[in-house]
Amino acid sequence: MEQPNNVPNSFLVRKLLGFSLYLVLFSGTLLAHPMPNSVVLLTVHADRIDADLQIPLNELQAAFGHAVNDSSAGLVARLGPQLTAYLLRHIHPRSASGRNWAVLAGTLAVHETQNAVNGTYRELTAQLQLVPPTGEAVRHFVFQYDVVLHQVMTHKILVSVRQDWARGQLAEQQPTQVGVIELDIVNNRIAPLTINLEQGSVWRGFRAMVELGMRHISEGTDHLLFLLVLLLPAPLLVKGSRAQRSGWGRFGGMRYSLKRLLLIITAFTIGHSITLLVGAMGWVRLPAQPVEILIALSILVSAVHALRPLFPGREAWVAAGFGLVHGLAFAGTLANLRLDAAPMALSILGFNLGIELMQVGIIALVIPWLILLSQTTVYPVVRITGAFVAGVAALAWVFERVSGQTNGITTLVAQLANRAPWLLATLAIIAVATWFRGRLRPSATMDDE
């Protein structure tokens, strides 16, 4: 029978001598090839903890007794059941009261990476569910874990919390380390790790999702660019008859402009809210690549429309239609969090609220200057320049998302997005300077464009 918490003295002495000799003879190699550790990433739910294990195969081979690193091809198919049984023998979480938790095995996989210095690195990933007994707290437990470590005394297990919704920690953030499991040489034992997670709350989880939504839209240059470019011609009337549109004309008045702007913004909100809901709940799923390509194409369409009217008077319908596509991209962020039903429902609400707060805030900063400029002789230059830049960016994004290769234009767009406050300040200065220099035309006659 294996003794996971105690290491025989003779075994310990042999390992110490062997390791010391290794340090003396191969110290240079050791510096070039740092000793790999295992990683355990915890996702905390209300009634269980999901654990993702990352175990280096070269270390596992010494402990498991099979050539898992030397012959990793088809490893899961060949030795999957034996590997699962091995893991379950060496993972024993229990409550502080001493009651054992249930450990349920999930998917196994082998991942391989190439490194110019260290060569090929292979690791086994395993998904487990740790379920406490009825009535026991899920946030306080003793984690007895000695996979690999029961044989390889230099091995370490780094335990971190990857996601804890109730505490406002999400998977896209840096994991929070809660401890390290290693051999205590002084006491000649592998001490289990006691995990005491801070109590969370629904409010902290909800607030984190609002902040995530705000951050997502503020960093989502393509989402904002689509909406802003669609708003560029919104304050303007259309030249020509209904049957023959010849271009954008003069300023349509404050009431006309505000009505069109609000309709477009509201329609986009409704569109992306619908698909955010159905996508996050898993009712509709589309691959990420075609969604991202369609988003880039939506910017291209709105840029062409800003140059010459394509669908005058129907901008709200176009905003709603493309909003459905943008919402699918938003939903992917939530779906990747793998939340339970109740947190997911609150997360959809909070995430969408965050998107709207940031979206409205940015638009509120931009629209006054667009309305002011749309009454001046310089607005055609602003509108055409904005549409041209957006169109070029859209084409670059299409190329990038089809080919998977980055290009200089998308890199430049990202750099410009980081300077958005300065761009906004420049827009405001141009608008105010134009106004005070007397370039505002009382009758707003811009039909000579």
Side-chain angles (χ1 to χ4, degrees):
M1 180 179 297
E2 299 175 23
Q3 301 295 330
N5 286 329
N6 295 293
V7 181
N9 288 332
S10 59
F11 172 81
L12 179 61
V13 171
R14 290 196 305 271
K15 285 293 182 179
L16 281 173
L17 290 174
F19 183 59
S20 300
L21 182 61
Y22 181 85
L23 285 175
V24 172
L25 296 178
F26 302 101
S27 57
T29 305
L30 182 62
L31 292 175
H33 300 266
M35 195 167 298
N37 302 311
S38 290
V39 174
V40 177
L41 298 174
L42 306 177
T43 298
V44 183
H45 298 273
D47 59 349
R48 73 184 190 282
I49 291 179
D50 294 339
D52 289 340
L53 279 53
Q54 301 171 5
I55 307 169
L57 285 184
N58 58 341
E59 300 277 281
L60 179 60
Q61 180 165 293
F64 183 50
H66 295 274
V68 293
N69 187 55
D70 298 336
S71 180
S72 61
L75 174 61
V76 174
R78 289 186 291 108
L79 296 173
Q82 294 94 319
L83 284 167
T84 297
Y86 168 78
L87 294 176
L88 295 180
R89 285 198 305 271
H90 293 274
I91 301 175
H92 301 284
R94 67 176 187 273
S95 300
S97 61
R99 300 175 66 189
N100 291 327
W101 287 29
V103 181
L104 307 177
T107 304
L108 298 177
V110 172
H111 297 276
E112 184 174 298
T113 58
Q114 299 293 330
N115 187 293
V117 176
N118 299 331
T120 302
Y121 172 78
R122 303 178 182 89
E123 70 176 14
L124 176 74
T125 61
Q127 297 177 346
L128 303 177
Q129 280 191 358
L130 315 179
V131 184
T134 303
E136 295 287 356
V138 74
R139 309 183 71 83
H140 307 286
F141 65 100
V142 177
F143 195 29
Q144 185 174 311
Y145 179 110
D146 67 341
V147 174
V148 176
L149 183 56
H150 70 102
Q151 289 291 334
V152 183
M153 59 169 292
T154 55
H155 194 70
K156 293 183 180 181
I157 298 98
L158 311 180
V159 183
S160 300
V161 174
R162 177 169 59 186
Q163 181 168 293
D164 188 353
W165 185 88
R167 290 179 55 240
Q169 180 179 344
L170 303 177
E172 65 170 29
Q173 301 169 343
Q174 188 72 18
T176 302
Q177 186 167 310
V178 294
V180 178
I181 301 174
E182 59 185 332
L183 176 67
D184 182 352
I185 298 179
V186 175
N187 296 312
N188 187 24
R189 65 190 297 267
I190 301 170
L193 177 65
T194 299
I195 297 178
N196 290 302
L197 301 178
E198 178 187 349
Q199 288 298 326
S201 66
V202 171
W203 167 245
R204 291 180 68 175
F206 180 79
R207 186 179 65 184
M209 297 310 302
V210 173
E211 293 171 355
L212 178 62
M214 296 178 69
R215 186 167 64 252
H216 189 82
I217 196 67
S218 66
E219 296 172 353
T221 307
D222 49 359
H223 300 294
L224 286 173
L225 191 59
F226 163 72
L227 188 56
L228 290 174
V229 176
L230 194 60
L231 293 176
L232 272 177
L236 306 178
L237 297 172
V238 181
K239 293 193 298 186
S241 63
R242 182 178 295 272
Q244 187 175 7
R245 311 291 190 180
S246 59
W248 294 109
R250 61 184 176 84
F251 176 61
M254 188 65 68
R255 183 176 179 180
Y256 169 84
S257 300
L258 290 177
K259 179 181 177 181
R260 283 166 56 82
L261 290 168
L262 288 175
L263 279 175
I264 293 171
I265 296 168
T266 302
F268 181 68
T269 298
I270 293 173
H272 75 64
S273 296
I274 291 173
T275 44
L276 172 60
L277 173 62
V278 299
M281 296 301 292
W283 299 335
V284 173
R285 289 284 175 85
L286 288 179
Q289 186 183 29
V291 171
E292 295 297 329
I293 294 172
L294 285 174
I295 288 174
L297 290 175
S298 73
I299 300 170
L300 182 61
V301 170
S302 64
V304 175
H305 178 67
L307 292 172
R308 289 294 180 206
L310 294 180
F311 36 81
R314 296 188 295 275
E315 289 89 350
W317 291 104
V318 174
F322 279 124
L324 295 172
V325 178
H326 286 248
L328 289 174
F330 295 152
T333 301
L334 290 183
N336 291 335
L337 297 179
R338 297 183 295 177
L339 297 170
D340 294 330
M344 177 61 81
L346 287 172
S347 295
I348 293 172
L349 177 61
F351 186 73
N352 204 35
L353 178 60
I355 289 174
E356 301 314 320
L357 288 174
M358 183 58 70
Q359 179 178 284
V360 169
I362 293 174
I363 290 173
L365 293 173
V366 174
I367 290 305
W369 312 119
L370 290 185
I371 291 180
L372 187 62
L373 281 169
S374 64
Q375 304 172 59
T376 71
T377 57
V378 303
Y379 193 60
V381 176
V382 173
R383 174 175 56 80
I384 293 171
T385 301
F388 176 77
V389 171
V392 171
L395 289 172
W397 273 322
V398 170
F399 174 79
E400 179 182 83
R401 293 167 186 183
V402 170
S403 66
Q405 302 293 323
T406 58
N407 55 77
I409 296 176
T410 56
T411 301
L412 178 61
V413 171
Q415 294 173 348
L416 290 174
N418 292 332
R419 294 167 174 77
W422 294 103
L423 297 176
L424 178 61
T426 302
L427 181 67
I429 291 171
I430 293 173
V432 173
T434 303
W435 180 280
F436 281 106
R437 287 177 62 183
R439 289 175 141 178
L440 182 68
R441 292 196 255 181
S443 58
T445 56
M446 296 173 59
D447 291 323
D448 57 341
E449 179 191 335

